[in-house]
């Protein structure tokens, strides 16, 4: 029986050692995994903050450029109106130039509009109802549109 003790003792010791090593490794790995996840979370938060900062900078720059564009447009209008007043030869030309600067809602006004004689243009706007003579049945009456037979 002397020799049988070491035969089962070695596997039992190996089992206990394996359990101890497993517990130690589990605790060590458990501590490092949240640290890695925490580092990834911090990195993602930093990237998101950087992105938000870039978006804010982009829109601030865009707003400044639009303000500059608006100011340049106003300066150009002022320059053109000053030039029209100073360089126009007569009052009629000056008024036409200034009117052209102010009324920019119809930029294609130079295109000649057709005259009434060229096309048959009705002077009265279209109506959304049919004309009716006095005594004619209304469209809502039962007999509307039916021909009556002569008796």
């Amino acid at each position: 029986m002397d020799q049988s003790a070491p035969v089962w003792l070695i596997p039992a010791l190996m089992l206990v050692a394996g359990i101890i090593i497993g517990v130690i490794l589990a605790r060590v790995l458990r501590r490092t995994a949240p640290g890695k996840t925490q580092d990834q979370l911090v990195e993602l938060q930093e990237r998101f903050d950087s992105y938000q900062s870039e978006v804010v900078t982009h829109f601030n720059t865009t707003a400044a450029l639009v303000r500059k564009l608006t100011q340049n447009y106003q300066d150009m209008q002022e320059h053109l109106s000053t030039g029209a007043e100073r360089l126009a030869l007569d009052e009629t030309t000056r008024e036409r130039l200034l009117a052209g600067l102010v009324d920019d809602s119809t930029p294609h006004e130079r295109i000649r509009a057709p005259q009434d004689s060229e096309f048959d243009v009705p002077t009265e706007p279209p109506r959304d109802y049919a004309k009716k003579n006095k005594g004619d049945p209304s469209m809502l009456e039962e007999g509307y549109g039916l021909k009556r037979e002569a008796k």
Side-chain angles (χ1 to χ4, degrees):
M1 291 247 185
D2 245 346
Q3 293 177 347
S4 65
V7 173
W8 64 269
L9 186 61
I10 293 176
L13 290 174
M14 294 295 269
L15 179 67
V16 170
I19 291 174
I20 292 172
I21 291 173
V23 168
I24 292 172
L25 283 176
R27 288 189 181 194
V28 168
L29 291 178
R30 199 177 311 150
R31 287 183 188 150
T32 59
K36 185 177 179 183
T37 305
Q38 186 66 29
D39 291 343
Q40 288 177 342
L41 181 63
V42 168
E43 179 187 349
L44 284 175
Q45 185 65 40
E46 288 173 357
R47 287 175 52 196
F48 179 71
D49 292 342
S50 172
Y51 175 76
Q52 280 185 326
S53 174
E54 288 180 33
V55 168
V56 168
T57 303
H58 169 76
F59 281 108
N60 286 339
T61 304
T62 302
L65 290 173
V66 168
R67 280 193 300 273
K68 185 177 178 181
L69 181 67
T70 303
Q71 184 61 44
N72 287 342
Y73 176 76
Q74 290 171 349
D75 292 344
M76 179 63 77
Q77 284 288 90
E78 181 66 31
H79 172 73
L80 288 173
S81 65
T82 304
E85 288 178 5
R86 196 179 60 192
L87 300 173
L89 299 175
D90 59 351
E91 187 64 32
T92 307
T93 306
R94 184 178 301 122
E95 288 177 7
R96 285 181 44 212
L97 288 173
L98 290 175
L101 290 175
V102 172
D103 186 22
D104 59 352
S105 61
T106 56
H108 303 290
E109 192 173 303
R110 290 181 222 132
I111 299 173
R112 189 177 65 83
Q115 301 297 324
D116 285 340
S117 61
E118 292 180 30
F119 299 103
D120 186 21
V121 180
T123 57
E124 185 177 311
R127 298 180 182 178
D128 58 348
Y129 58 89
K131 289 185 178 180
K132 176 181 129 169
N133 295 328
K134 202 169 203 173
D136 287 346
S138 171
M139 289 178 62
L140 298 177
E141 290 184 20
E142 285 182 20
Y144 180 76
L146 300 177
K147 296 182 179 179
R148 294 185 185 184
E149 293 182 19
K151 290 185 183 179

